[in-house]
């Protein structure tokens, strides 16, 4: 498979395929991992059959053990927030009361562990945990409004919705585009996508809090070629549960 510009695409995932099979010189791949996967999946048998006039060698194999399930992505504007009704207020008060009781129990159990720390260290830890909890609660509140949302798009507008106060990029951390223009925030990929792709097993698969994509402010390059952009991966804070 090739794009209109003639660029070959990987037989396994469909991304740009600059690498090709050294034997038949026809099968394209994005890298050695997918080339090896395709070789085991059937290209070993079909490779080199073109000389005999067998067009079946061009068939794209099924890599169900690798490919993610496919979905349709719907694009909708976010609805503005509305004030919570009395029921929500009552529920919130109940949750606050329950949370306070749990915090009291946890505090009593952990007192001995903190007795060896000085007052300044304890104050810094408490302030940091409070700020992290506030950021994470804000993230959860926004996600709860659209639990199926997998992408938040706002090019050049408001910044991303961060899951933590830690590991946020500064301006100097985001490299300029190859054309020299600055890169700006365009969209972020939400952690809900992990559940849809069925790879949300903690400790056994990929994981992220949010993936933030920055693209060229001048939109250089046109629409007929692949361009390298910049992505920032932010994980959940250790203090978030």
């Amino acid at each position: 498979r090739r794009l209109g510009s003639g660029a070959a695409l990987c037989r396994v995932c469909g991304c740009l395929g600059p690498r090709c099979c050294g034997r038949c010189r026809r099968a394209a791949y994005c890298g050695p991992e997918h080339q090896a996967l395709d070789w085991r999946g059937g290209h070993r048998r079909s490779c080199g059959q073109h000389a005999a006039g067998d067009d079946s060698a061009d068939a794209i194999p099924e890599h169900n053990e690798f490919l993610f399930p496919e979905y349709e992505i719907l694009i909708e504007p976010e609805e503005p927030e509305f004030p919570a009704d009395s029921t929500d207020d009552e529920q919130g008060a109940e949750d606050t009361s329950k949370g306070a009781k749990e915090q009291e129990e946890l505090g009593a159990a952990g007192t001995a562990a903190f007795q060896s720390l000085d007052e300044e260290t304890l104050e810094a830890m408490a302030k940091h945990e409070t700020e992290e909890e506030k950021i994470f609660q804000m993230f959860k509140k926004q996600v709860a409004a659209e639990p199926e949302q997998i992408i938040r798009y706002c090019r050049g507008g408001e910044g991303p919705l961060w899951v933590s106060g830690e590991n946020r990029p500064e301006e100097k951390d985001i490299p300029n585009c190859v054309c020299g223009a600055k890169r700006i925030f365009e969209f972020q990929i939400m952690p809900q996508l992990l559940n849809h792709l069925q790879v949300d097993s903690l400790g056994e698969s990929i994981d992220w809090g949010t993936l933030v994509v920055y693209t060229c402010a001048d939109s250089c390059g046109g629409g007929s070629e692949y361009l390298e952009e910049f992505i920032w991966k932010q994980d959940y804070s250790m203090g978030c549960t």
Side-chain angles (χ1 to χ4, degrees), residues 19 31 43 60 95-96 106 111 124 158 160 172 198 207 220 230:
R19 186 186 185 97
H43 186 62
I60 303 300
D95 291 343
T96 301
L106 289 172
T111 299
E158 296 181 5
K172 62 181 179 61
Q198 302 171 15
D207 188 32
C220 68
F230 183 76

Side-chain angles (χ1 to χ4, degrees), residues 140-158:
K140 289 204 302 182
K141 179 181 179 181
Q142 192 75 39
V143 168
E146 295 289 346
E148 298 296 314
Q149 186 183 56
I150 61 171
I151 294 177
R152 290 175 57 86
Y153 184 93
C154 189
R155 177 175 168 80
E158 296 181 5

Side-chain angles (χ1 to χ4, degrees), residues 88-122:
D88 292 336
D89 292 339
E90 294 173 1
Q91 181 64 42
E94 182 180 343
D95 291 343
T96 301
S97 176
K98 182 179 179 181
K101 183 177 180 181
E102 292 177 349
Q103 289 294 331
E104 184 178 349
E105 293 174 352
L106 289 172
T111 299
F114 288 104
Q115 285 181 343
S116 60
L117 300 177
D118 58 75
E119 184 176 344
E120 183 177 350
T121 302
L122 287 172

Side-chain angles (χ1 to χ4, degrees), residues 70-136:
E70 295 184 5
Y71 298 92
E72 178 185 6
I73 299 178
L74 301 179
I75 302 175
E76 298 177 345
E78 277 191 338
E79 296 293 334
E81 292 187 31
F82 294 95
D85 56 26
S86 58
T87 303
D88 292 336
D89 292 339
E90 294 173 1
Q91 181 64 42
E94 182 180 343
D95 291 343
T96 301
S97 176
K98 182 179 179 181
K101 183 177 180 181
E102 292 177 349
Q103 289 294 331
E104 184 178 349
E105 293 174 352
L106 289 172
T111 299
F114 288 104
Q115 285 181 343
S116 60
L117 300 177
D118 58 75
E119 184 176 344
E120 183 177 350
T121 302
L122 287 172
E123 183 68 25
M125 291 174 62
K127 183 177 181 180
H128 175 73
E129 290 178 359
T130 301
E131 183 64 25
E132 278 298 299
E133 184 66 20
K134 184 188 299 183
I135 294 171
F136 186 61

